[in-house]
Amino acid sequence: VVAAEQPWYWRRPTLTWVSANDAELVWETPDSELGAVRVRAGGKRWVVNESVAGKVHRVRLTDLNPSTVHVYHLRGRSVPGESSGAFRTLPAPGDDVPLRFVILGDSGNGRSVTRHLVARIGEFRPDVVLHVGDLAYERATRASLYAQFYDPIAELASSVPVWVVPG
């Protein structure tokens, strides 16, 4: 199977939200199942289980400590062993800590320039990435969108929220 044809759920999950006290992870599996996330932070370990089975999994992690690195691992029947990552919660409101963010658009077609751009963004260690669009066109397919956008940014999106807006 060619990498562009592989479903993205065999890759990393996506961190869709992070704040000072909570975060959300989303991933897909080929079959309906219950998912779970094992989390480790500050010497504590815990598991958050889904209550409803499905192919699209959305797990909200709550009561997190601000400015803390959280290591996670997805659990489920069809979740591959490499489905883990880490993210840092944002500082508490009122903390005098700068927020590091990246705004980009028209990030390319998934080739070397795109991958170089994503690597540079990762070196900056942003708290949030805002993508202002120009990702898909009328003839785009799910597979082409994953190959051109998601595949190059998947590792970054497993640890930093990458929010895409129409543009």
Side-chain angles (χ1 to χ4, degrees):
V1 174
V2 178
E5 296 174 1
Q6 293 176 341
W8 72 265
Y9 48 77
W10 295 121
R11 310 257 167 96
R12 295 177 178 269
T14 301
L15 182 67
T16 59
W17 173 258
V18 68
S19 72
N21 302 111
D22 62 349
E24 182 178 74
L25 291 163
V26 174
W27 71 98
E28 283 187 42
T29 53
D31 300 312
S32 184
E33 63 182 73
L34 285 170
V37 179
R38 188 177 60 219
V39 185
R40 184 179 76 235
K44 297 189 308 187
R45 296 173 186 259
W46 68 99
V47 175
V48 179
N49 295 296
E50 286 184 301
S51 57
V52 178
K55 291 182 179 183
V56 177
H57 306 276
R58 185 177 304 271
V59 172
R60 190 80 167 201
L61 307 173
T62 59
D63 300 320
L64 307 178
N65 292 323
S67 300
T68 302
V69 173
H70 296 76
V71 177
Y72 66 85
H73 181 77
L74 302 184
R75 295 172 59 179
R77 271 194 334 264
S78 59
V79 174
E82 68 274 6
S83 293
S84 59
F87 64 90
R88 184 173 53 86
T89 47
L90 298 180
D95 282 359
D96 189 20
V97 178
L99 179 68
R100 297 170 59 104
F101 63 94
V102 171
I103 299 174
L104 76 149
D106 194 6
S107 54
N109 58 9
R111 295 195 178 112
S112 63
V113 172
T114 305
R115 294 177 188 283
H116 178 74
L117 175 65
V118 170
R120 293 297 308 263
I121 291 170
E123 291 170 7
F124 181 67
R125 300 180 52 148
D127 296 302
V128 174
V129 175
L130 181 64
H131 197 299
V132 295
D134 200 11
L135 291 174
Y137 302 94
E138 290 178 20
R139 297 180 196 166
T141 64
R142 184 175 181 167
S144 70
L145 184 58
Y146 286 168
Q148 293 175 6
F149 173 70
Y150 188 78
D151 284 349
I153 208 160
E155 185 172 347
L156 180 65
S158 71
S159 60
V160 175
V162 178
W163 296 326
V164 179
V165 297

